[in-house]
Each structure stands twice: as C-alpha cells, then as structure tokens.
C-alpha cells in the first residue's frame, strides 16, 4: 500500500464520520482514528510491518486530512496576537526553495494570497507543496531552509490585515 492509497483511505474515513478504522493486510496493519473538536479534526495513522522479524517499535504518525495544506490558527501571545501562525501539516524536511539554484518561495515582507506556495516539505521521498490558506503579509519566517519540521510546528507568521 503506497502513500497515495493511505491518504485516500484517510480522506474516505474522515468523510464517512467513522471514529476508528482498522485495516490488516499481508504485510501491514493500519489504524486510523479521528477525533473532532469544533472545527479541528486529527487523524492518526499507524503502519506496522507484520511478520516474524519486527525490529522496531511502531510509531503513530499524525496526518492532516485536508489535502496537505497547513493549519492556520491565531497566535495567543500578546505581542503576536494580531498575526496568524501557519503550521506544518506533516513531519519532514522543509525547503524554502523549489530547487537549490532558484529563489525562495516567500520572504519576510512578501504579500501572499490563498493558494500561494510557501515552502516544500519532503516526507518519505515525496515533495509536498505547502500552500497558504490565508491572505496577508509574511511577518516572520520561523524555520530555516533544509531543516526538519514536526507536525503542527509553526513555520510562518502572517499579518492578515
């Protein structure tokens, strides 16, 4: 089962309203759990190799169910309360440029609109374009180029005004 099939399964489960789905095949076991809090939905995918030689601990990997776009939430600190924080939807390596010889996607001071590509996150040898869900102006870049990022880690501060 490849990543695309797993993502399609996650989307299907999220739309169906099921709270938990377990799938066991010859060489893998997948458990998808969803929990809803108002407008926030979290999906956990656990892929465990099944066989005689399991050598590592299985790990739960949170996966965003909204087609790879980042989560935008209001920042709560007094200093940054008017800014929106764009967070990483996946775990991987963040790249601010489409390739080493190209300019960065966005810089501090750039105006962005919904759908603009902000960066790329490489996860499992797949390059995922991270698009903005908000319009505004980049106030601060919180992550360096070619650095690892965690799920829900703040990447950019955006002034929506």
């Amino acid at each position: 089962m490849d990543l695309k099939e797993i993502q399609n399964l996650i989307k299907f489960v999220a739309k169906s309203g099921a709270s938990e789905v377990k799938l066991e095949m010859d060489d893998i076991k997948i458990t998808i759990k969803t929990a809803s809090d108002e407008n926030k939905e979290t999906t956990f995918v656990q892929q465990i190799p099944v066989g005689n030689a399991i050598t590592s601990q299985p790990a739960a990997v949170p996966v965003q169910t909204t087609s790879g776009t980042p989560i935008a939430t209001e920042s709560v600190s007094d200093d940054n309360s008017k800014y929106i924080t764009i967070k990483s939807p996946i775990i991987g390596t963040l790249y601010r440029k489409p390739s080493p010889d190209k300019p960065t996607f966005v810089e501090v001071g750039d105006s962005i609109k919904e759908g603009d590509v902000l960066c790329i996150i490489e996860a499992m040898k797949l390059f995922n374009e991270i698009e903005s869900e908000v319009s505004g102006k980049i106030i601060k870049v919180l992550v360096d180029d070619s650095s690892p990022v965690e799920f829900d880690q703040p990447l950019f501060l955006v002034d929506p005004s």
Side-chain angles (χ1 to χ4, degrees), residues 52-120:
N52 297 338
I54 297 179
T55 58
S56 64
Q57 281 282 45
V61 179
V63 176
Q64 182 69 22
T65 59
T66 57
S67 70
T69 55
I71 303 167
T73 58
E74 291 290 329
S75 179
V76 292
S77 70
D78 294 336
D79 192 26
N80 297 327
S81 62
K82 63 181 178 180
Y83 302 137
I84 295 174
T85 303
I86 296 178
K87 297 181 179 182
S88 175
I90 56 177
I91 297 171
T93 304
L94 180 132
Y95 297 103
R96 296 196 49 221
K97 304 175 186 179
S99 65
D101 59 334
K102 303 277 185 192
T104 58
F105 287 108
V106 293
E107 290 289 346
V108 173
D110 287 355
S111 292
I112 59 169
K113 59 185 185 319
E114 285 186 42
D116 285 353
V117 176
L118 303 174
C119 61
I120 294 175

Side-chain angles (χ1 to χ4, degrees), residues 10 15 32 41 66-67 80 85 101 115-116 123-125 148 158 160:
I10 292 168
K15 288 180 184 175
I32 302 173
E41 186 171 283
T66 57
S67 70
N80 297 327
T85 303
D101 59 334
D116 285 353
M124 297 173 51
K125 306 232 185 239
V158 177

